[in-house]
Amino acid sequence: MKFAVIQFPGTNCEIDTAYILKDLLEQEADIIWHMQDDLSSYDLVILPGGSSYGDYLRTGALAKFSPIIEAIKKHAEQGKLVLGICNGFQILTEIGLLPGAFMKNQNLKFIGDDLFFKVINNSTPFTSSYSKEQILKLPVAHLEGNYYIDSDQLKELQAQNRIVLRYCNSQGLCSEQANPNGSVDNIAAVLNERGNVLGMMPHPERMAEEILGGQDGLGFFQSILEYHKERKEQ
Amino acid sequence: MKFQGKIKIKLRPSILDPHAHATMKVLQTQGYSNVESLLIGKFMEVVVEAPSLEEAENLIHLLCQEVLTNPIMEDYELEVREV
C-alpha cells in the first residue's frame, strides 16, 4: 500500500509517521512537500502532526491555501482514505473535509501526556482492528485541542455514529474530569459523512512500538492495511 | 484609490473563551469587582486598492470570510475608509 505523508513548513511528525509505515509495517511511504499538487498515485494520505505555518492566524488556517490541499480534496472525493493526526485534524476542519473547529485548551496549557481514549466506532476503515469500547492509551501534544461544534452538528455526529474516539479515564468513563481540553462531548476523533476521512487528536505513531511505551496506536495503521487488502480482493 | 479596513474579530457569543475568562478572573481577584465581562479578540488593519468604497468593502468582507476568520467560531466587524 502506498502512503503519502504531507509535510507543511512547521510539520514535525512526518518522519515518525513514515517510519511506522515503512520500517515497522513495510509499506511504501513518501513524504510529500505541500507545494506539490498531485496525489493520484497514492492509496492513502496522512496529514501528520506539528504546527503548520507556526499555527499563525489559526491552527491550520494558512496550510489551507497550499497547492497540495486541492489534491487532498480530490483524493477524498474519490473515496480514498485521508487521516489527519493532531495538526492534520485541525487542517481537515479548516478545509471543510471535517466539521467543527479548534480553540485553545480550556485550561490554557499545552498538554503533552499519555491519555485514555474510548473507541466509540470500530466499524470504520481506521479502527476495525479495535473492539467497540476498547480503551486505548495514546499520547497527545497540543495547545489547541478544544474541539468545538454547534449543538445541531453534534446531534448529527452522534446520530450518524461519526464520533470515533472520546477522551475517557483509565476505567473508560468519558467524564468531565477525563476531558483534558474542553472538547464538546469529550470528542477526540471524528469521521466525515462518507466515512473515508478521519481526524484524530492523539498520536498513534508515537505509541506503535513497545519501546515507546505501548502499541495501542498500531491498530489504526493495521486497520487501514486490512481495509485496503479487503477492497483489493473484492 | 486606497482604502483601509479595520477588522475586529471575536469569538461567537455562544463560545466560552478560556483566555478572556482567565483574565477576567484575575481582574476580579485584583479588586476590580465591577468587571462583569471581558472579551479578547483580534484586531487587523488591511489596506487595499479598489475603484470605490463599496468594492473595497466587498473585497475585505471576502478576505474575512475566506481567510482571516473561521465562521464556525468567529464573528467580525469591519470599518472601511479611504486613505
Side-chain angles (χ1 to χ4, degrees):
Chain A
M1 195 173 172
K2 206 171 165 194
F3 291 81
V5 181
I6 310 299
Q7 181 190 47
F8 297 91
T11 297
N12 60 24
C13 298
E14 70 278 31
I15 294 171
D16 296 24
T17 306
Y19 162 78
I20 298 300
L21 299 169
K22 287 202 280 196
D23 295 54
L24 225 57
L25 296 169
E26 296 175 339
Q27 302 298 313
E28 269 186 85
D30 294 325
I31 293 173
I32 305 288
W33 182 236
H34 71 120
M35 294 306 283
Q36 296 190 38
D37 58 6
D38 181 16
L39 291 167
S40 53
S41 66
Y42 294 93
D43 301 305
L44 184 134
V45 173
I46 298 185
L47 287 96
S51 301
S52 55
Y53 285 92
D55 291 335
Y56 295 162
L57 192 61
R58 300 176 306 276
T59 55
L62 299 183
K64 179 179 173 180
F65 301 98
S66 289
I68 198 73
I69 295 297
E70 281 311 309
I72 293 170
K73 286 183 175 172
K74 199 170 149 193
H75 185 89
E77 276 164 24
Q78 289 167 347
K80 295 194 212 170
L81 302 184
V82 178
L83 171 63
I85 300 167
C86 197
N87 187 228
F89 186 5
Q90 293 161 338
I91 294 170
L92 289 174
T93 63
E94 277 284 338
I95 66 176
L97 285 184
L98 290 174
F102 284 92
M103 300 193 302
K104 279 221 163 59
N105 296 339
Q106 211 163 54
N107 64 7
L108 301 174
K109 287 183 187 167
F110 182 94
I111 306 168
D113 207 353
D114 292 346
L115 300 176
F116 293 101
F117 298 86
K118 193 182 224 176
V119 178
I120 305 300
N121 182 352
N122 69 336
S123 31
T124 80
F126 307 91
T127 52
S128 60
S129 59
Y130 298 112
S131 52
K132 193 167 157 59
E133 307 210 331
Q134 187 173 340
I135 300 164
L136 308 176
K137 190 179 172 191
L138 297 168
V140 297
H142 60 246
L143 179 60
E144 279 101 352
N146 183 352
Y147 183 72
Y148 171 77
I149 192 164
D150 68 32
S151 52
D152 289 344
Q153 280 193 299
L154 174 64
K155 280 181 203 146
E156 202 179 297
L157 285 187
Q158 290 164 338
Q160 296 173 350
N161 200 14
R162 286 165 52 196
I163 299 168
V164 175
L165 295 177
R166 292 172 78 202
Y167 297 99
C168 67
N169 64 14
S170 59
Q171 308 302 308
L173 194 67
C174 299
S175 59
E176 207 178 315
Q177 287 79 13
N179 186 338
N181 50 28
S183 290
V184 169
D185 201 28
N186 285 40
I187 290 174
V190 163
L191 197 66
N192 69 337
E193 204 172 345
R194 189 167 173 182
N196 63 324
V197 179
L198 179 77
M200 60 189 290
M201 279 321 278
H203 286 269
E205 80 284 4
R206 296 189 191 176
M207 195 62 101
E209 279 182 298
E210 281 306 331
I211 196 171
L212 295 176
Q215 289 190 301
D216 279 6
L218 199 58
F220 292 94
F221 302 104
Q222 287 167 334
S223 304
I224 290 164
L225 293 179
E226 190 58 32
Y227 174 82
H228 187 68
K229 202 176 130 199
E230 279 171 19
R231 298 248 305 190
K232 247 179 145 177
E233 282 165 5
Q234 275 170 16
Chain B
M1 289 152 75
K2 284 192 194 306
F3 296 89
Q4 183 192 56
K6 294 187 171 185
I7 306 158
K8 284 189 218 162
I9 301 172
K10 48 189 182 181
L11 282 176
R12 297 178 75 162
S14 58
I15 298 175
L16 174 76
D17 177 6
H19 259 180
H21 186 72
T23 310
M24 188 180 72
K25 274 195 162 171
V26 168
L27 290 175
Q28 288 170 337
T29 56
Q30 289 304 299
Y32 301 103
S33 52
N34 305 348
V35 177
E36 281 183 16
S37 71
L38 176 73
L39 191 147
I40 297 179
K42 295 180 197 166
F43 178 72
M44 298 179 189
E45 281 180 2
V46 61
V47 175
V48 299
E49 182 84 45
S52 68
L53 177 68
E54 198 190 346
E55 289 195 38
E57 281 176 346
N58 290 343
L59 171 62
I60 302 172
H61 275 300
L62 193 68
L63 299 184
C64 288
Q65 288 153 15
E66 296 292 317
V67 184
L68 300 177
T69 74
N70 181 335
I72 294 172
M73 56 179 182
E74 292 170 326
D75 289 330
Y76 69 93
E77 289 168 25
L78 174 62
E79 265 179 49
V80 182
R81 66 179 180 95
E82 196 181 336
V83 288

